[in-house]
Amino acid sequence: MSFINHQPLLSAHNVSFSYPASKNPVLTDISLDLYPGEILILAGPSGSGKSSLLYALSGLVPRSIPGTIRGTISLAGKDLSSIPNWEISKTLSLVLQEPEDQFFTMQVEDELAFGPENHGLQDQKIIKRTYQAAQSTGAESLISRPLHTLSEGQKQRVAIAANLTLKPKILLFDEPTSNLDEHSTARFYELIKALSREENRAIILCEHRLHGPCQYADRLVILQDGRLQYDGSPQILQNSSILKKWGLREETQALDFGSHFWEDRIPPAPILSLDHISFRFGRKENFFFTMGNFSAEKGEVIALFGENGVGKTTFLRLLAGLLTPTEGKILLQGEQVHRIPKKRRSRIVRLVLQNTDHQLFMPTVLSELTFCGDHQKALQLLDQFNLTSLENRHPHSLSVGEKQRLTIAAALIYDPRVLLLDEPTSGMDGANINRLIQVLKEYKKQGMTIVIASHDMTLIRAMCNRGIKIKA
Amino acid sequence: MQFEQTANCTIIDPRAKMAGLILFCLLSFFLHTVPVLLAYLSIPIIFLIFLKPSGRFFTKMEIGAGLFLSACILLYFWARAQCPIHLDGIASARAIVRVFIFTGSGLIFMLTTSSSRFILGLEKLHLPPPLIFVLAIAIRFFPHLLQEMELISNNLQGRGIGFYQWLRHPVYSGRAFIFPVVIRAIKKADTLAMAATMRGFGAPIPRTCRQKLTISTPDYLFLISLLIIGLIFFYCDRYAYLKWGM
């Protein structure tokens, strides 16, 4: 589709941006035009400035996010810096990475009505827009539900619907599929295509997983070190050397669930085993988890699959002894895992959860590793994970991908017998996924048992001997 | 593991609830005997038991609050047993019970008020928009913060920092806990503020609301019953003071 005959809706000209504490600019001389009806994919390795560019294009910098911005951004022909935020929200919406973080109310209906209420629309108009937005996103059935009862995919839909109620001409998404399973991701892209067609909306998707969205995209923009490296057709991604050059994720086909890979097998000398366990969160909660049998032997890498909300994280927490099964036993080296004293258990089995912010406790990257571990080993791990240059940085100032590598390194410093990883690559680029695979393969050779809950087929194909699919 | 609102109480107007909260807290300053204050505290506690937000961290907080309250009662009896009576001890016990009263009633307010109705209530009180913005984020943010604290505490345990490490190295363990809590709190508040800005919050036009707020009979009944309860406690307090002292 050709867009050049149209006036650009959003236009950036020689935009450079730097955060107050940073010496180097995070964006340098970015020029970009976005046309009505266009779907643009914004890609690049971790820390390349994708999110910062979205914040700049949405007018959040420097008003909500402090920093120095140069160059001009115009929205529908007007200088963005001269338009107040509330007026920008009529034309442009930004959907942030974590849907839950942006919810302002407790009920889906209230959340959808929040934007129109802020704009002082009349009751009938608010109700009409609320239902229209819910219909466009397939969230009609959720409208009367409390937000905390929704799955990740459903929350994502509500977050989009909440932004659609203002009828924006431009929608910006910051890594919208990083927490979604394959099925929800496919539905999400279908929705994006429909939203683009619906009112000739322009859409920018900032993504790590590129092959899904690129089937629907009109244009691909690649950033590296804050500079625009490529602006053109997404067809370029068919060349794998290009992906490697820019550190992007490679395409991996979905796995065949009927193949030998998925054959159920009971290892002769399992390090970790369970037999018919069940678990329930308190008496009030509806969530109920059951599992038949499962065992893992030394040096095995097992993949854990399932749609969002089926209980993969709960299962990992049970394996780590952080939760106690309501029925049944989980044995780690012959002992019930939740009965092993915490200090000893923390050295045998390590769990790395998806949200890294909850797992970083110290003021520097190095001290995060030396917190409970050996200094030499810490330096070695920093080198293995390419974090040496960041050893004096505050862990919370790192990018998502860097934090993920650091939390995995912090788990490996204990040399655990069992390592449990929950979506370890959701914020990583292609180069870092390959690095992680290499490191984990070394530990696998040394006999470490690894269980990985992930939607990332590159990681699973490269690492896992067996897979378990958890069903709802 | 949810700390979201357990009851969306729409019967009472948020303005009446705010007035009730202030009234309830102010009345505690007219009560001077610790046993009567403890009885007064039982009102929010009963409400909280009825609302009972689930979550392990909440349970831990309940245990902590129970222990602290028990220590406060022991302090009171110890102060009374001294000859002459240890007035500072009694004053401290009284202050601690009042803090519990404020916290408990504030918690009830947060657990039973939806953000939209709260914002609308504040607007009807003609409060300045920046203050409304801060208060609205705070009420939305509080349940999230508790959830974050539970997750961080669990992860810290996973790194081997359990109860005994807290006892042996309180500063080190405390710092390891506080760091991520503060950072998550700032990040979460920032994201929420950004998301609200991107959806037109703070626009210089009168905000509308699908739900209508009107002070009606249940609100007056609520405030009058609170006042009556306060007066009963005030009378009991006078009686107890004359009969048994502080």
Side-chain angles (χ1 to χ4, degrees), chain A residues 342-352 359 361 367-374 377-378 381 406-419 443 448, chain B residues 155-161 172:
Chain A
K342 274 174 196 157
K343 198 166 183 183
R344 187 154 68 86
R345 191 174 64 207
S346 71
R347 294 187 178 273
I348 305 173
V349 55
R350 301 284 315 143
L351 168 64
V352 180
Q359 301 166 76
F361 308 106
S367 62
E368 194 63 50
L369 296 187
T370 52
F371 179 27
C372 297
D374 167 56
K377 172 94 180 164
L381 278 164
L406 179 60
T407 48
I408 297 167
L412 288 172
I413 200 157
Y414 293 83
D415 271 327
R417 311 250 165 87
V418 179
L419 179 66
Y443 282 92
M448 187 183 286
Chain B
N155 285 315
L156 208 50
Q157 273 183 24
R159 290 279 283 267
I161 307 290
Y172 191 71

Side-chain angles (χ1 to χ4, degrees), chain A residues 85-86 89 101 103-104 106 110-111 117-118 121 148 284 317 346 350 357-358 368 371 403, chain B residues 4-5 52 115 140 148 154-155 158-159 172 176 184 187-188 192 197-199 204 207-208 210:
Chain A
N85 273 334
W86 70 275
S89 67
D101 284 0
F103 292 151
F104 212 77
M106 306 293 182
D110 289 347
E111 192 60 33
E117 284 174 349
N118 291 334
L121 298 188
H148 74 267
K284 274 183 171 181
R317 288 165 72 95
S346 71
R350 301 284 315 143
D357 283 349
H358 299 135
E368 194 63 50
F371 179 27
K403 279 191 231 175
Chain B
E4 303 292 347
Q5 285 176 311
K52 183 112 181 104
S115 310
R140 178 68 191 94
E148 296 285 324
N154 285 344
N155 285 315
R159 290 279 283 267
Y172 191 71
R184 280 299 294 166
K187 271 192 182 175
K188 207 125 192 173
L192 203 55
T197 310
M198 286 307 295
R199 284 160 68 194
R207 199 175 177 277
T208 49
R210 286 170 312 127

Side-chain angles (χ1 to χ4, degrees), chain A residues 50-178:
Chain A
K50 301 185 294 292
S51 298
S52 301
L53 180 58
L54 284 192
Y55 296 149
L57 293 176
S58 59
L60 285 170
V61 287
R63 280 178 273 202
S64 298
I65 300 167
T68 314
I69 190 161
R70 282 189 287 112
T72 51
I73 300 173
S74 48
L75 178 66
K78 276 188 188 173
D79 183 9
L80 192 72
S81 60
S82 66
I83 315 172
N85 273 334
W86 70 275
E87 262 192 54
I88 294 174
S89 67
K90 284 182 187 170
T91 317
L92 182 147
S93 268
L94 169 65
V95 184
L96 299 164
Q97 191 174 358
E98 293 288 334
E100 201 166 354
D101 284 0
Q102 48 202 305
F103 292 151
F104 212 77
T105 63
M106 306 293 182
Q107 295 281 332
V108 173
E109 199 174 1
D110 289 347
E111 192 60 33
L112 300 192
F114 182 72
E117 284 174 349
N118 291 334
H119 283 267
L121 298 188
Q122 292 311 304
D123 289 6
Q124 285 310 311
K125 234 178 184 175
I126 294 174
I127 293 164
K128 197 179 159 195
R129 285 204 184 184
T130 299
Y131 282 88
Q132 270 177 354
Q135 217 169 18
S136 301
T137 52
E140 315 98 292
S141 58
L142 311 173
I143 214 145
S144 56
R145 288 191 39 197
L147 284 162
H148 74 267
T149 62
L150 307 182
S151 71
E152 283 296 322
Q154 288 169 333
K155 281 179 190 164
Q156 186 68 265
R157 279 172 184 270
V158 173
I160 299 169
N163 283 284
L164 283 183
T165 49
L166 292 173
K167 293 191 174 282
K169 292 262 181 289
I170 304 165
L171 275 170
L172 311 181
F173 292 90
D174 191 5
E175 299 198 22
T177 61
S178 60

Side-chain angles (χ1 to χ4, degrees), chain A residues 196-340:
Chain A
S196 166
R197 280 199 206 117
E198 201 179 72
E199 287 182 27
N200 216 18
R201 274 192 192 97
I203 293 173
I204 298 184
L205 287 164
C206 166
E207 275 286 15
H208 268 303
R209 298 186 199 174
L210 294 176
H211 289 275
C214 280
Q215 291 169 21
Y216 302 94
D218 302 298
R219 211 165 119 207
L220 173 72
V221 166
I222 297 174
L223 292 184
Q224 199 173 36
D225 298 326
R227 288 178 186 275
L228 205 143
Q229 298 291 335
Y230 175 80
D231 184 353
S233 164
Q235 299 298 322
I236 195 174
L237 291 181
Q238 284 167 358
N239 183 348
S240 62
S241 62
I242 294 286
L243 292 167
K244 276 197 181 138
K245 182 184 161 194
W246 284 316
L248 304 174
R249 288 194 186 194
E250 288 180 53
E251 181 179 22
T252 315
Q253 286 175 342
L255 288 163
D256 175 12
F257 286 93
S259 72
H260 175 74
F261 183 79
W262 303 102
E263 221 170 71
D264 195 18
R265 183 170 64 87
I266 298 171
I271 186 170
L272 187 67
S273 65
L274 62 88
D275 191 9
H276 294 93
I277 57 150
S278 63
F279 175 76
R280 183 186 285 273
F281 273 115
R283 284 181 188 171
K284 274 183 171 181
E285 301 285 334
N286 293 325
F287 184 80
F288 190 75
F289 180 85
T290 57
M291 178 159 269
N293 54 20
F294 165 83
S295 49
E297 64 185 337
K298 211 175 158 189
E300 224 183 350
V301 183
I302 297 171
L304 205 58
F305 290 93
E307 290 182 6
N308 289 121
V310 291
K312 297 188 294 295
T313 306
T314 304
F315 181 56
L316 290 180
R317 288 165 72 95
L318 281 162
L319 291 183
L322 295 175
L323 297 173
T324 309
T326 320
E327 280 171 38
K329 287 176 187 172
I330 299 173
L331 300 176
L332 178 65
Q333 296 180 315
E335 280 182 273
Q336 278 202 57
V337 64
H338 68 273
R339 293 211 173 141
I340 301 173

Side-chain angles (χ1 to χ4, degrees), chain B residues 25-32 98 234 237-238:
Chain B
C25 293
L26 280 179
L27 280 170
S28 73
F29 285 103
F30 294 95
L31 307 177
H32 296 286
R98 280 193 188 126
F234 181 71
D237 183 65
R238 292 294 93 194

Side-chain angles (χ1 to χ4, degrees), chain A residues 28-63:
Chain A
T28 312
D29 292 333
I30 304 282
S31 293
L32 193 74
D33 287 329
L34 183 71
Y35 296 93
E38 192 177 27
I39 300 179
L40 187 149
I41 306 291
L42 191 58
S46 298
S48 58
K50 301 185 294 292
S51 298
S52 301
L53 180 58
L54 284 192
Y55 296 149
L57 293 176
S58 59
L60 285 170
V61 287
R63 280 178 273 202

